[in-house]
Amino acid sequence: MERREFFKLAGASAATLAIGGALFGCETELSSPAETNSSGDESVVGSPQVSFEETVDVLIVGSGIAGLSAAMPPIEEKRSVLVVDKRDLLGGESYEANGLFYVSGTDIQKNAGIEKTAEDAWKERKSELEEEGSTDDLRFKQSLVMAQAEWIDHAVSVYQASFADPKDYAKGPTTESFLLPKKGIGDMDSIMSPIKEGLAGKGVSFSLGMKAVAFILDGANNPVGMRFFSSKSDSILDVRARKIVLATGGFCSNQYMINQNSPDQTTIGCLTVHSVGDGIALGATLGGQTAEMDQPALLTSDVPQVSAWGLFGPSVNVSPQGMRFAREDQAGKSATECVSQELGFWWTVFDKQLSEGILSRSVAYVSSKSAKRLVGPFDSLDDLASAMKVPADALADAIEAYGNAVEAGKDEEFGRQAGLKPLEGPYYAIKQFPVRYKTLGGLKTSDTGQIVNAASLPVANAYCCGSCAAESANGLASNAAFGMIVGKAIVDELAAEDEKAEKESNEAQS
């Protein structure tokens, strides 16, 4: 007699499913296995029956750069892959990034004459970690740094992702350690669209507008699928999968979680409303261990592209009192200092030089989208100060001090290195507020991205990568490399399982 399958859910209560609500604020329920009904179908106590509509080798929850990168290795090995996202937009929040890929040792950089290698980048990163006292999991951190260049080369050669030539902007040590998309700051479409199209062409399936609400477990409590819910159609989708990857982002826009882990940041705004930590919560229902959740979220400007302008050209960041307060060539520095010094907001003063070259697209986009934040052009600093409502003498002193640093070739006060050029009228300024954009904590994983429990043992079939994992601190290139590492590990595990199954089948027949 054929053994029937029994399933249960981990992560969602019946009430949650009924309203399509977020996991937070709802009690997480792990139901007991249900008896099969008279028709022999599987059912779940308190929830709609499990009815698998799709079966795949690899299910990826989240379509940002980490999720799409996790899809690359398995689809290239002819495995069936389904990527599901709760939003109607494929690509997740990666589209909202400013496009800085911190990476060294790529073919693009080598062809531009940049000699810095991935090994050099790791030495620098290791020194930073040791200085911070963050010496746990150094082997995995190293693997992320080393895999970033590999990911870039693969994305370019196989998926035709387009990056700008570093010769157009790499003028020193600061700017030679990253890559920009083809059209500069904010042009994530040149990266994400070719990858999406390439994956689809290779056979990856996509489902949008479906929120993951629960793992589906078998009788041994191993995850064998995922339940999704669509609030628009009030429908449920059950997917069976051999391997499941959570690539859902962090929790920076979940006010409850921020208050629990970083209460000092509760009153700071957030760049997005979508990073609610649902993947972290789902992983926890499997017994997944979390780590580093109490690290402060990374901050940036609420006009994020502007935060990177200082890397490429002359700009001065000043407080509401008109005083320079932070170096401009570190993307999150001004937002962090703004909060630390309780300034409320700040201004970036710039000139038409930023409208030329690699920043032309970004300046035009920001000037159009954030026109109400922009003042200028003004030929005099006094007129600019009046429009900014800052003391004219303070602004003049700030611009003069910056000019002195340019003339000296060294910013003694703040340490700025990149984009150190004189400002020339006419002048502009744009107002900005600090916002959270990325949390650093999340699910603890093995070196291959498999979710681990409190005993540091891997959870069967369940993986995590990108910003919902605890080891995702270094942005786009790091998240992409993380996804690729997970995808490779899944390919190897599937092959090993198939080989074992074939061997057992042959032995049974002999």
Side-chain angles (χ1 to χ4, degrees):
M1 180 177 179
E2 184 178 353
R3 182 178 180 273
R4 299 184 188 276
E5 291 188 272
F6 297 88
F7 298 95
K8 49 190 173 183
L9 298 183
S13 65
T16 303
L17 287 174
I19 61 174
L23 291 172
F24 296 103
C26 301
E27 181 179 356
T28 301
E29 175 185 288
L30 179 62
S31 59
S32 301
E35 297 294 334
T36 55
N37 59 26
S38 57
S39 64
D41 296 331
E42 301 94 350
S43 62
V44 179
V45 172
S47 298
Q49 297 173 354
V50 171
S51 177
F52 290 116
E53 297 181 38
E54 295 193 46
T55 299
V56 293
D57 291 321
V58 184
L59 170 63
I60 299 171
V61 186
S63 67
I65 199 163
L68 295 185
S69 299
M72 291 177 179
I75 199 63
E76 290 166 16
E77 291 298 322
K78 310 301 182 183
R79 297 291 184 176
S80 55
V81 180
L82 171 65
V83 177
V84 183
D85 201 289
K86 66 183 178 183
R87 300 176 65 182
D88 292 327
L89 172 68
L90 189 62
E93 293 176 6
S94 296
Y95 265 112
E96 298 169 17
N98 60 20
L100 289 175
F101 285 77
Y102 287 97
V103 61
S104 296
T106 66
D107 289 342
I108 297 172
Q109 290 163 312
K110 292 175 185 175
N111 293 336
I114 297 174
E115 298 179 355
K116 186 175 181 180
T117 65
E119 289 79 6
D120 295 331
W122 168 242
K123 290 177 182 177
E124 291 180 1
R125 180 61 180 152
K126 184 180 179 183
S127 296
E128 293 173 358
L129 292 168
E130 290 174 343
E131 186 175 336
E132 296 168 0
S134 303
T135 56
D136 294 339
D137 299 320
L138 284 181
R139 184 176 64 178
F140 181 68
K141 290 181 172 71
Q142 181 179 11
S143 70
L144 277 182
V145 172
M146 302 304 292
Q148 289 169 16
E150 180 187 352
W151 182 88
I152 294 287
D153 293 342
H154 193 72
V156 171
S157 63
V158 177
Y159 295 91
Q160 288 72 58
S162 298
F163 291 88
D165 189 339
K167 292 178 182 177
D168 294 336
Y169 60 83
K171 309 299 182 183
T174 303
T175 50
E176 71 178 11
S177 298
F178 59 75
L179 291 176
L180 287 175
K182 182 178 181 179
K183 298 178 183 178
I185 293 293
D187 175 33
M188 286 301 294
D189 191 58
S190 291
I191 311 298
M192 300 297 290
S193 288
I195 291 175
K196 291 185 299 182
E197 292 168 4
L199 289 172
K202 292 178 184 299
V204 172
S205 299
F206 299 94
S207 181
L208 302 180
M210 303 297 296
K211 179 180 174 63
V213 294
F215 279 100
I216 300 172
L217 310 182
D218 62 13
N221 283 341
N222 293 320
V224 293
M226 183 73 77
R227 169 161 286 185
F228 298 90
F229 179 79
S230 170
S231 58
K232 287 187 176 181
S233 62
D234 195 29
S235 62
I236 285 173
L237 170 66
D238 290 338
V239 179
R240 183 195 289 269
R242 294 175 65 182
K243 306 297 172 186
I244 304 166
V245 182
L246 296 175
T248 56
F251 61 91
C252 64
S253 51
N254 186 303
Q255 200 71 357
Y256 174 79
M257 291 185 74
I258 288 292
N259 185 58
Q260 291 294 107
N261 295 286
S262 302
D264 291 345
Q265 294 189 319
T266 304
T267 58
I268 302 172
C270 190
L271 183 62
T272 175
V273 299
H274 302 289
S275 293
V276 296
D278 39 13
I280 299 172
L282 283 168
T285 66
L286 298 178
Q289 179 185 173
T290 57
E292 303 180 11
M293 297 285 285
D294 59 351
Q295 288 194 62
L298 299 179
L299 306 180
T300 190
S301 162
D302 65 334
V303 190
Q305 294 188 30
V306 180
S307 67
W309 285 359
L311 283 160
F312 306 98
S315 63
V316 177
N317 290 343
V318 298
S319 69
Q321 293 74 40
M323 296 181 290
R324 189 169 176 231
F325 67 99
R327 62 186 295 175
E328 296 84 5
D329 63 344
Q330 291 183 348
K333 188 65 173 178
S334 292
T336 302
E337 287 298 319
C338 181
V339 170
S340 176
Q341 299 180 34
E342 299 182 343
L343 300 177
F345 63 89
W346 78 96
W347 293 91
T348 292
V349 179
F350 63 101
D351 63 17
K352 66 179 182 180
Q353 294 179 74
L354 290 187
S355 300
E356 303 167 354
I358 198 69
L359 287 180
S360 59
R361 176 185 179 276
S362 177
V363 173
Y365 173 80
V366 169
S367 298
S368 173
K369 185 176 181 181
S370 304
K372 293 182 179 180
R373 299 282 194 87
L374 191 68
V375 297
F378 294 102
D379 291 325
S380 77
L381 288 176
D382 284 349
D383 290 340
L384 181 68
S386 177
M388 295 165 62
K389 294 182 172 58
V390 305
D393 56 347
L395 181 61
D397 288 345
I399 301 301
E400 181 181 1
Y402 170 77
N404 292 337
V406 173
E407 188 174 341
K410 188 174 184 179
D411 184 6
E412 296 281 2
E413 186 174 6
F414 295 101
R416 177 175 178 173
Q417 297 177 2
L420 202 59
K421 300 177 182 179
L423 277 171
E424 303 169 353
Y427 304 100
Y428 303 79
I430 185 166
K431 189 177 186 179
Q432 298 150 89
F433 296 85
V435 290
R436 306 184 302 256
Y437 80 97
K438 187 179 188 301
T439 44
L440 301 180
L443 292 166
K444 188 74 173 173
T445 67
S446 69
D447 287 353
T448 58
Q450 194 164 4
I451 296 172
V452 298
N453 60 23
S456 297
L457 298 175
V459 176
N461 308 327
Y463 294 78
C464 178
C465 60
S467 294
C468 64
E471 298 290 348
S472 62
N474 291 331
L476 289 169
S478 180
N479 282 355
F482 203 156
M484 183 179 69
I485 288 171
V486 166
K488 286 184 175 182
I490 286 174
V491 167
D492 291 342
E493 188 167 345
L494 289 173
E497 289 176 358
D498 289 346
E499 183 179 354
K500 180 181 178 181
E502 183 178 1
K503 182 179 179 180
E504 290 175 349
S505 176
N506 291 337
E507 290 175 350
Q509 294 175 9
S510 62

